[in-house]
Amino acid sequence: MNIKYNRMIPAVICACLLFIEDPANAQTSGLTPALSIHELVSARRELGKHLHEPLTHDTLKKVNIDLQQMIDALRKEPSKNLHQSLIVLSSRERALVLRANAVTQRTKQYLKVSSGCVATVNSAMASVLLSAVDQMMHAKKNAGSKPAVIDAIDTTNGHQPLFIIKHGDKLSSLTLLGVNLTDSQCANPSIMVTNDQGIKLKQQPVIEMATPARIKLKWLNMGNLMPDQYVLHITPRRESFLFGCSLQPREQALGVLQVISTPKVTVSYTLTALYKMNNKTRKLQSEVIGTGVLGPLSHDGATSAVTISVPKTKDAVNYTLEAKSSYGGVSTMPVGPISQPADANITIGLPSGITMTWNPALKLLSSKLRQNKCMKSLK
């Protein structure tokens, strides 16, 4: 056997063993450039179905362009490498595949948690997605052999993908998911949070636990941050022969969150009664007996109610209710009119998880905000 190749065998075996024992690498061991292209194409197709929404159209259009550019970059790689596993690829190619995978995951998470969200909430989520994708697109090309990449930011308790936080929320911990976030043989990586202008926050989160694939952060008073976009900078420590563990700034991973003002929900309504004109004729007369706005409703389970004055001298045949909700300053399509006999309740469901009920026996019109997919994603 050639001595040159004979000397290379131990190094190759060592590299393989390091790759296999790393839990983060175990999660991405099946990744190839070809698979990343397929997943990005699929994510881009699904995202394209949401481009018609007015408030997020421009932002999501930019995301779609970025996804296509990442697909094109992967397709420019040598065809012989398209189906090769990460360990065979060069460090530059490996970083590209890992970042493409992160972009795919973040896009899928957006599509999941933005369902049911409207107005400023959906717009803020789309803005966070765009920032996350842009960071991956413009990350350093020479990020070392093990670039740290954040695939997801989750709530620690509910394990829900997190894009935005409501100002005033009591959230106090986060979990970052990704690959190469640290070396298991080293101390915790470095964490720093800046605002959108790059200014370091006075109060920083603390790392409670760190593995190559997961970092748990304790971040007290997170909900007290002013509405803005915030960037999490994770600088991993790497172990090297002779030098031990040291921080590697060029392998830094970035994550994005946005704090928003708590969205207010209101409900406008029109309640109409149909009366008999008198007992001697079958003629009926319609009269609006209530119109106004209920709310604002700002948290799960919040209610608002009003008593409607019903003329005692008139005999109602039925009641008709029509309502429209406003979520974060943007009105939804009206629901109704819905009619019921005068002795029956009317309950209608509105977008954003709102129900409105007219109880003729109590002469009470009430609305309630129930948890929906969007509200769940804000927790």
Side-chain angles (χ1 to χ4, degrees):
M1 180 181 293
N2 190 303
I3 294 177
K4 177 181 177 182
Y5 290 103
N6 194 26
R7 289 175 177 172
M8 290 176 60
I9 291 175
V12 173
I13 293 175
C14 181
C16 292
L17 289 174
L18 285 173
F19 190 86
I20 293 170
E21 73 176 10
D22 189 335
N25 288 331
Q27 296 177 6
T28 57
S29 58
L31 279 179
T32 64
L35 180 59
S36 293
I37 291 171
H38 174 77
E39 293 291 334
L40 277 173
V41 169
S42 176
R44 187 172 182 272
R45 185 185 307 116
E46 290 302 311
L47 192 67
K49 297 176 182 178
H50 296 258
L51 294 181
H52 64 280
E53 298 170 9
L55 285 177
T56 57
H57 171 78
D58 291 344
T59 304
L60 294 184
K61 185 177 179 180
K62 291 177 182 176
V63 174
N64 237 20
I65 292 172
D66 283 348
L67 295 186
Q68 185 59 56
Q69 289 178 352
M70 189 162 273
I71 291 169
D72 293 341
L74 285 165
R75 284 176 172 161
K76 287 179 181 177
E77 297 302 318
S79 57
K80 65 178 182 179
N81 292 342
L82 284 179
H83 299 280
Q84 298 290 350
S85 62
L86 293 181
I87 195 171
V88 178
L89 301 176
S90 68
S91 59
R92 185 186 61 79
E93 292 168 335
R94 191 181 307 129
L96 181 59
V97 172
L98 289 175
R99 288 166 182 156
N101 180 63
V103 166
T104 297
Q105 299 307 315
R106 206 67 173 134
T107 303
K108 288 180 178 179
Q109 292 155 16
Y110 165 80
L111 293 172
K112 175 184 176 182
V113 301
S114 65
S115 175
C117 296
V118 294
T120 53
V121 174
N122 202 352
S123 180
M125 286 187 176
S127 177
V128 171
L129 176 64
L130 176 60
S131 294
V133 174
D134 278 348
Q135 286 174 354
M136 294 295 177
M137 290 287 296
H138 299 102
K140 294 178 181 178
K141 299 292 188 293
N142 58 337
S145 60
K146 294 174 66 177
V149 177
I150 295 174
D151 295 335
I153 302 175
D154 283 5
T155 57
T156 300
N157 295 330
H159 303 294
Q160 291 289 329
L162 198 60
F163 284 74
I164 58 179
I165 300 168
K166 292 181 294 183
H167 179 69
D169 206 337
K170 295 180 180 179
L171 196 67
S172 60
S173 62
L174 296 175
T175 299
L176 309 180
L177 304 177
V179 292
N180 301 326
L181 298 178
T182 189
D183 275 7
S184 54
Q185 303 91 341
C186 299
N188 287 342
S190 167
I191 171 73
M192 181 180 70
V193 180
T194 63
N195 63 14
D196 197 36
Q197 292 74 45
I199 300 173
K200 182 179 178 181
L201 302 188
K202 292 182 179 179
Q203 186 173 2
Q204 294 286 321
V206 177
I207 296 178
E208 290 191 319
M209 180 275 294
T211 69
R214 182 186 301 265
I215 295 176
K216 182 179 178 182
L217 297 177
K218 184 176 182 180
W219 196 353
L220 299 178
N221 302 316
M222 188 189 330
N224 292 336
L225 292 170
M226 296 302 295
D228 196 358
Q229 200 165 100
Y230 295 91
V231 181
L232 289 78
H233 306 251
I234 298 293
T235 305
R237 297 181 193 274
R238 300 282 183 242
E239 184 180 35
S240 59
F241 183 63
L242 295 179
F243 298 103
C245 295
S246 60
L247 291 172
Q248 300 296 317
R250 70 172 184 162
E251 296 183 2
Q252 187 180 88
L254 301 177
V256 187
L257 283 174
Q258 186 161 330
V259 177
I260 65 168
S261 300
T262 302
K264 298 291 192 294
V265 181
T266 58
V267 187
S268 57
Y269 63 88
T270 300
L271 181 64
T272 306
L274 189 65
Y275 297 114
K276 291 181 181 179
M277 294 186 64
N278 55 61
N279 293 328
K280 297 179 182 180
T281 177
R282 293 183 178 181
K283 290 184 178 180
L284 302 175
Q285 181 180 15
S286 177
E287 180 181 335
V288 175
I289 60 172
T291 182
V293 178
L294 292 182
L297 311 172
S298 59
H299 62 272
D300 302 336
T303 61
S304 181
V306 62
T307 301
I308 302 294
S309 178
V310 179
K312 296 180 180 179
T313 58
K314 296 183 178 181
D315 186 14
V317 176
N318 68 29
Y319 293 102
T320 301
L321 180 62
E322 184 174 5
K324 179 172 63 174
S325 63
S326 175
Y327 187 91
V330 177
S331 296
T332 61
M333 292 293 291
V335 176
I338 297 175
S339 300
Q340 287 284 17
D343 59 350
N345 288 1
I346 301 176
T347 298
I348 59 179
L350 294 157
S352 308
I354 302 168
T355 58
M356 174 167 267
T357 300
W358 163 242
N359 186 326
L362 300 177
K363 299 180 177 60
L364 188 70
L365 184 66
S366 61
S367 62
K368 184 173 184 178
L369 179 60
R370 302 180 184 276
Q371 188 183 72
N372 58 16
K373 285 183 180 180
C374 183
M375 284 292 178
K376 201 173 193 181
S377 71
L378 297 183
K379 282 194 158 243

